[in-house]
Amino acid sequence: MILVKIIIIALLGTVCAILVKPFKPEISIFLIIVSGLLILFQVLDYFVEIIETFTRLSEQTGIDNELFKIILKIIGVGYLIEFASNICIDSGMNSIASKIQFAGKVIILFLSLPIINMLIEIITQILQLC
């Protein structure tokens, strides 16, 4: 059970980081990062399955594969930004975390521009038909 592994990694990482923090705060941060990466590696297979499912949906529906790629990139950026900003928050660097979150929002907006353009084109075509 992957969920049990994730919970065990999280609890062990948390306990170790809490125990080490008063003596070696820099090692505590390292333990937090390693715990997060171990959890991330546990779910990598799910990401592969998600990508395969989006590819299959693209083929079945005839929707442009580029659209699904953009959506996956946006989701990936969201997850990575949250992961990185949470590490900064755990390390007491809230200011840097907020900058990472801002940068992520800008990147997501940039990545979504082709979708926005497609929506505007569709709306324009519908309005021209009326």
Side-chain angles (χ1 to χ4, degrees):
M1 300 218 29
I2 191 145
L3 186 57
V4 173
K5 286 182 187 178
I6 291 170
I7 291 169
I8 290 170
I9 292 169
L11 292 176
L12 287 175
T14 301
V15 169
C16 290
I18 289 171
L19 291 174
V20 171
K21 190 172 186 172
F23 308 107
K24 295 278 188 178
E26 62 278 2
I27 293 176
S28 175
I29 294 168
F30 177 73
L31 289 170
I32 292 168
I33 293 170
V34 169
S35 298
L37 289 173
L38 288 172
I39 291 169
L40 182 64
F41 288 136
Q42 294 297 314
V43 296
L44 280 180
D45 289 338
Y46 290 109
F47 284 119
V48 172
E49 182 65 33
I50 291 167
I51 291 169
E52 289 173 356
T53 300
F54 270 98
T55 303
R56 197 170 43 253
L57 283 173
S58 172
E59 293 168 357
Q60 290 174 349
T61 60
I63 296 175
D64 187 11
N65 196 25
E66 289 302 312
L67 179 64
F68 285 113
K69 286 181 183 178
I70 292 168
I71 292 169
L72 284 173
K73 284 180 186 178
I74 290 170
I75 293 168
V77 167
Y79 284 142
L80 291 174
I81 291 300
E82 183 178 359
F83 183 79
S85 67
N86 284 339
I87 288 173
C88 291
I89 290 168
D90 291 342
S91 304
M93 302 295 168
N94 295 340
S95 178
I96 294 174
S98 66
K99 306 307 185 279
I100 290 172
Q101 291 170 356
F102 174 75
K105 290 173 186 176
V106 171
I107 292 168
I108 288 171
L109 178 60
F110 175 76
L111 289 173
S112 66
L113 287 177
I115 296 172
I116 294 169
N117 284 333
M118 288 187 328
L119 287 173
I120 290 172
E121 287 176 17
I122 291 169
I123 291 169
T124 304
Q125 290 172 358
I126 290 171
L127 289 175
Q128 289 174 353
L129 292 174
C130 294

